[in-house]
Amino acid sequence: MSTRTFNDAVDKLNSLQSNYAAIEASRASGGRMTQYAKHEMIEYLGRIGYSVTDLNQLNVIHVTGTKGKGSTCAFVDSIIRSTTPHRKIGLFTSPHLVSVRERIRINGVPISEEDFVRFFFEVWDRLEQNDQREYSSTLPKPMYFKFLNLMAYHAFLTLKVDTTILEVGVGGEYDSTNIVPKPIVTGVTSLGLDHVIILGATLDKIAWQKGGIYKEDVPAYTVPQPPEALEVLRSRAMEKMASSFHVVHPIPELSSLPLGKHQLQNATLALHLADTYLKAQGDVQGDIAQLTEPLNEAYMRGLRATKWPGRCQTVPDPDDSKSTWFLDGAHTVESLTSCAEWFVSPGLGIKPEATRVLIFNCTHGRSGAELLGALQAGFKAQIQLHESATPAEQLFDHVIFCPNVTYSDGTFKGEFTQKGLDEKDLAQLKTQTELANAWKIMIPTFPEARIHVVPSIEHAVKTVKHLRSTQDTPVDALVTGSLLLVGGLIDVANLTKSALEI
């Protein structure tokens, strides 16, 4: 009998419909595909031997939003582990930075290659053995994200986790994570415009989708939102008959934590979700609708211990003491504004003696010009706020635009492979050329020789290392616009051990 390996599992996973291809298919259908999405996921679940009611055993905390939902999940995970170390906690998030195993974690640790192979092929084989489908349009196997979501359900049920934290993929109402009948608590992070092809082009439409995770007799939380979004979320909570609806507000005690404004908001929401969950489970005493202050020391310990790589992360280059990488997978207008706030904060990204480089890309039909504009506007606002002597137009000495192709030979690391990308766009570097042109229009005085359009992440890293080799001054590189870009760079620049602490 042949032995199936981790690489075999990754190859088969990469053969499934990609997230990019699924978005394009949804666009082509005019959004009609989404109405079948949950029905199909329930059918896939049945084909591997489970019913939706089985998922209630997982004791789910369900989180969606536009910005910060992954960070919020990480905070919740760390708080609960700190408070109840006896619990076995499953965490499902996306995307991954370096290894697909990161998406499915037990007690904060990505599942092993052996466990990944085991659970992957158990799901794969069951789907192959039971191919009965109600809808002719249903694919024999789910697309990439849904397969991993299905695999997470199977892994968590098999391993008998006590707690499950589920991060929504896209939206909420029609997301594959939204088939759990009775989560313990639900939360919506900060909302903004993203995935508008699927979710709608206005905040109220996006809020309607996100509010779809609220459930009957389940507490519903959110953070302060624009009025039109908050009104819809409140309405959705009532429509879904949530047991309560809460808008969380700043907690003075958290100001002692070294977190930016947006991460403080995520931490605040996480505290409320974790506190409500722990009280519902009987692990913490008190009013389930009231966060007790002063805060439980275990909660604060959990917040301080939270690690979420690739988000507002500073990583010294392990091979060069004078090179520093500033990593933030921000990819929306709101999150890029926060990225700018973080990078320009005192003592971080503006050092008089350093050469500063921006490495940027954007994906999935997002408006590169709009995103670059938001980033630059954020830089300008923060520079004015902190009265820096560096003009925003001169913040960077070089800018590099590259696709999320990992290596200089045009190949991807296996776990970064993206099926369905526009090959012509990649070959002509269309998106990256458009980004470079947008930068020229935005900052007409920027030297054209210092605007680099390169065909891979490896080329971008080599450009930065070449700059360092030709000068004695430090080089600080901000990498943002895409989590796939950040993940690829962590791999290529030999930052895996430093960034992921593994």
Side-chain angles (χ1 to χ4, degrees):
M1 179 176 148
S2 63
T3 301
R4 296 193 282 193
T5 67
F6 179 69
N7 287 338
D8 293 335
V10 169
D11 286 345
K12 287 192 178 295
L13 180 63
N14 288 338
S15 74
L16 301 174
Q17 184 188 42
S18 68
N19 298 340
Y20 174 87
I23 289 171
E24 289 301 301
S26 179
R27 187 210 301 259
S29 76
R32 290 187 301 276
M33 288 176 63
T34 57
Q35 60 190 294
Y36 300 110
K38 283 200 293 189
H39 298 295
E40 290 179 347
M41 191 64 182
I42 291 168
E43 188 174 295
Y44 288 131
L45 188 70
R47 284 172 54 195
I48 67 167
Y50 300 107
S51 68
V52 289
T53 55
D54 291 329
L55 302 181
N56 287 335
Q57 301 170 34
L58 297 176
N59 295 317
V60 168
I61 300 167
H62 202 188
V63 181
T64 190
T66 304
K67 181 181 75 173
K69 61 185 189 292
S71 298
T72 300
C73 288
F75 281 129
V76 171
D77 174 62
S78 188
I79 292 167
I80 296 177
R81 282 191 286 119
S82 173
T83 309
T84 54
H86 63 278
R87 283 186 173 275
K88 183 184 288 186
I89 302 173
L91 174 64
F92 175 70
T93 60
S94 62
H96 57 274
L97 279 178
V98 174
S99 173
V100 68
R101 297 182 294 108
E102 299 163 32
R103 297 185 183 223
I104 303 173
R105 297 175 186 248
I106 301 294
N107 293 337
V109 179
I111 61 172
S112 66
E113 289 192 0
E114 292 77 14
D115 278 342
F116 188 94
V117 171
R118 169 192 166 195
F119 294 127
F120 180 92
F121 282 110
E122 285 174 355
V123 171
W124 185 274
D125 292 345
R126 290 182 194 185
L127 290 172
E128 295 220 316
Q129 290 158 10
N130 181 5
D131 194 28
Q132 286 188 320
R133 285 169 274 162
E134 183 177 348
Y135 304 104
S136 59
S137 61
T138 301
L139 297 171
K141 294 185 182 69
M143 50 84 78
Y144 188 103
F145 174 84
K146 288 183 180 179
F147 189 98
L148 289 170
N149 186 191
L150 197 65
M151 182 177 152
Y153 289 145
H154 173 54
F156 295 157
L157 286 164
T158 303
L159 294 172
K160 295 182 168 32
V161 300
D162 302 299
T163 305
T164 297
I165 303 158
L166 285 183
E167 179 193 1
V168 165
V170 175
E173 176 66 48
Y174 301 116
D175 191 71
S176 60
T177 62
N178 199 30
I179 63 172
V180 180
K182 195 81 170 179
I184 307 300
V185 63
T186 57
V188 177
T189 67
S190 180
L191 298 184
L193 297 178
D194 196 24
H195 297 296
V196 294
I197 294 165
I198 297 174
L199 305 180
T202 61
L203 270 183
D204 58 329
K205 289 180 178 177
I206 288 171
W208 186 91
Q209 295 276 358
K210 305 287 185 181
I213 72 165
Y214 292 154
K215 297 288 185 298
E216 184 175 352
D217 293 330
V218 175
Y221 286 89
T222 191
V223 298
Q225 306 280 6
E228 64 272 34
L230 187 58
E231 182 182 344
V232 172
L233 288 176
R234 193 184 306 277
S235 172
R236 288 290 268 163
M238 291 177 62
E239 172 197 339
K240 298 281 187 177
M241 296 189 289
S243 60
S244 57
F245 178 75
H246 306 275
V247 181
V248 306
H249 293 289
I251 300 170
E253 273 186 81
L254 298 190
S255 60
S256 63
L257 297 174
L259 299 172
K261 183 171 67 177
H262 60 297
Q263 288 290 31
L264 276 173
Q265 187 178 74
N266 297 332
T268 301
L269 177 60
L271 272 172
H272 282 273
L273 294 174
D275 182 69
T276 298
Y277 175 86
L278 290 166
K279 286 173 178 173
Q281 299 296 297
D283 292 296
V284 172
Q285 301 305 308
D287 182 354
I288 201 167
Q290 184 73 39
L291 184 65
T292 306
E293 296 185 59
L295 295 173
N296 184 325
E297 176 52 33
Y299 290 3
M300 295 295 286
R301 197 165 57 242
L303 287 173
R304 285 191 290 266
T306 303
K307 294 181 175 62
W308 201 231
R311 286 81 167 176
C312 296
Q313 185 180 22
T314 304
V315 183
D317 192 307
D319 303 321
D320 179 4
S321 61
K322 286 192 174 182
S323 292
T324 304
W325 303 91
F326 296 82
L327 310 176
D328 190 8
H331 53 272
T332 67
V333 166
E334 294 79 11
S335 58
L336 283 163
T337 301
S338 297
C339 172
E341 176 188 316
W342 164 68
F343 185 70
V344 183
S345 58
L348 196 70
I350 300 186
K351 304 186 191 97
E353 73 282 6
T355 295
R356 287 182 291 275
V357 181
L358 172 65
I359 303 177
F360 189 90
N361 189 35
C362 65
T363 57
H364 294 329
R366 295 183 171 100
S367 169
E370 182 184 15
L371 296 179
L372 276 178
L375 189 63
Q376 185 64 14
F379 290 140
K380 191 169 185 178
Q382 290 304 305
I383 283 170
Q384 289 173 346
L385 177 67
H386 298 300
E387 300 180 345
S388 170
T390 303
E393 294 77 13
Q394 296 174 26
L395 180 59
F396 293 101
D397 300 285
H398 292 262
V399 292
I400 304 172
F401 300 106
C402 68
N404 294 336
V405 175
T406 316
Y407 303 118
S408 56
D409 63 0
T411 60
F412 294 84
K413 182 184 177 186
E415 293 169 85
F416 296 155
T417 298
Q418 300 168 70
K419 244 185 73 183
L421 293 180
D422 188 327
E423 296 296 333
K424 187 176 179 182
D425 184 320
L426 276 180
Q428 297 178 352
L429 298 176
K430 181 172 177 284
T431 297
Q432 290 67 44
T433 301
E434 289 172 354
L435 288 168
N437 290 335
W439 185 268
K440 292 174 193 174
I441 292 168
M442 192 166 60
I443 309 178
T445 57
F446 199 90
E448 192 159 347
R450 296 187 172 195
I451 301 173
H452 311 268
V453 173
V454 299
S456 74
I457 295 169
E458 187 173 2
H459 280 93
V461 171
K462 285 180 177 177
T463 301
V464 172
K465 290 190 177 294
H466 175 71
L467 283 172
R468 260 293 295 133
S469 70
T470 59
Q471 62 187 47
D472 191 46
T473 54
V475 173
D476 289 346
L478 172 62
V479 186
T480 191
S482 163
L483 271 169
L484 290 167
L485 169 64
V486 170
L489 187 133
I490 287 173
D491 178 70
V492 171
N494 190 32
L495 305 181
T496 301
K497 187 175 180 180
S498 305
L500 274 60
E501 298 185 3
I502 60 175

